Amino acid sequence: DTVLTQSPALAVSPGERVTISCRASESVSTRMHWYQQKPGQQPKLLIYGASNLESGVPARFSGSGSGTDFTLTIDPVEANDTATYFCQQSWNDPNTFGAGTKLELK
Amino acid sequence: EVQLQQSGAELVKPGASVKLSCKTSGYTFSNYYMSWLKQMPGQNIEWIGNIYGGNGGTGYNQKFKGKATLTVDKSSSTAYMDLSSLTSEDSAVYFCATAIRDWFAYWGQGTLVTVSS
């Protein structure tokens, strides 16, 4: 299975720019998607196809990358962005998710 | 508005089976795939498999073959997942999610399954 590696945690101050990385163990083309999950809630789609913003998601969120290296950028970070962010690849079977990056606000 | 409403929490004994449901509204159920996913506390999300709302065709993650069985009832726009021979390793939150192409655009609220004697 394709392993997606994310850094476990980040802490930033409101108003700053943050990049969350996701590295795949093999190429996933641009079939990488990003989700936000807050405690006790279901994940919410933010970005699909590496760089496409889901409808209704603030333009502060953006995604980039292809092949094995991907990033989710939040600029500027707001207080309610405190959450865990997961990447998911759908190029290789089965779909797999990263372990998540927990974003905390200072 | 798209909604996926999952059944309530389950407490089940080891070795037993459980059937979870996911009732949908706000979109044409038969035109999309429904996936089921597992999230253990503090751990990765795992994709269990999917089922096409139109004809019930299924695809499974090899890891969950024999553990999960996916079905649909088109008449009520509801998807189901049977989990069998439950052990403590099956204790988790299970989500249903509607796939738009190959990403999960809509999610249910999750069902907590606890396996304990």
Side-chain angles (χ1 to χ4, degrees):
Chain A
D1 295 0
T2 302
V3 176
L4 302 181
T5 302
Q6 299 183 244
S7 51
L10 289 170
V12 298
S13 298
E16 291 185 345
R17 178 177 185 267
V18 65
T19 58
I20 297 170
S21 65
C22 178
R23 173 164 286 177
S25 60
E26 58 189 320
S27 177
V28 300
S29 185
T30 57
R31 309 321 294 167
M32 184 66 79
H33 322 295
W34 291 92
Y35 302 85
Q36 176 194 66
Q37 187 179 32
K38 297 183 177 181
Q41 296 185 16
Q42 66 270 51
K44 173 188 174 184
L45 177 68
L46 300 174
I47 300 287
Y48 62 92
S51 60
N52 299 287
L53 189 68
E54 171 69 349
S55 176
V57 175
R60 304 183 291 105
F61 293 88
S62 63
S64 64
S66 65
T68 60
D69 290 296
F70 298 85
T71 57
L72 172 71
T73 300
I74 311 172
D75 186 14
V77 172
E78 295 183 356
N80 70 352
D81 296 334
T82 298
T84 299
Y85 293 84
F86 293 93
C87 53
Q88 174 236 337
Q89 69 81 24
S90 58
W91 183 251
N92 301 308
D93 185 45
N95 284 277
T96 52
F97 287 75
T101 296
K102 188 172 184 179
L103 180 65
E104 296 180 341
L105 278 288
K106 294 178 185 176
Chain B
E1 179 192 7
V2 174
Q3 291 190 332
L4 280 65
Q5 183 65 41
Q6 296 188 236
S7 48
E10 300 273 3
L11 173 60
V12 293
K13 295 189 185 310
S17 298
V18 69
K19 188 170 187 173
L20 310 184
S21 66
C22 174
K23 182 169 177 56
T24 72
S25 60
Y27 74 100
T28 304
F29 180 79
S30 58
N31 287 356
Y32 296 95
Y33 282 88
M34 179 69 74
S35 278
W36 289 86
L37 304 104
K38 175 183 180 183
Q39 187 172 35
M40 296 177 74
Q43 295 197 26
N44 280 26
I45 300 169
E46 296 180 280
W47 178 76
I48 295 170
N50 63 11
I51 184 165
Y52 187 58
N55 62 9
T58 55
Y60 292 93
N61 184 336
Q62 185 70 28
K63 177 178 177 179
F64 292 95
K65 282 186 177 178
K67 170 62 66 177
T69 302
L70 307 184
T71 56
V72 294
D73 177 358
K74 286 197 297 182
S75 67
S76 63
S77 300
T78 302
Y80 298 93
M81 179 173 67
D82 273 290
L83 296 170
S84 62
S85 304
L86 292 166
T87 73
S88 59
E89 288 299 302
D90 298 314
S91 293
V93 175
Y94 291 87
F95 293 100
C96 59
T98 298
I100 305 297
R101 292 184 63 184
D102 50 352
W103 54 86
F104 305 115
Y106 307 105
W107 294 68
Q109 82 277 20
T111 296
L112 175 63
V113 174
T114 304
V115 182
S116 174
S117 55

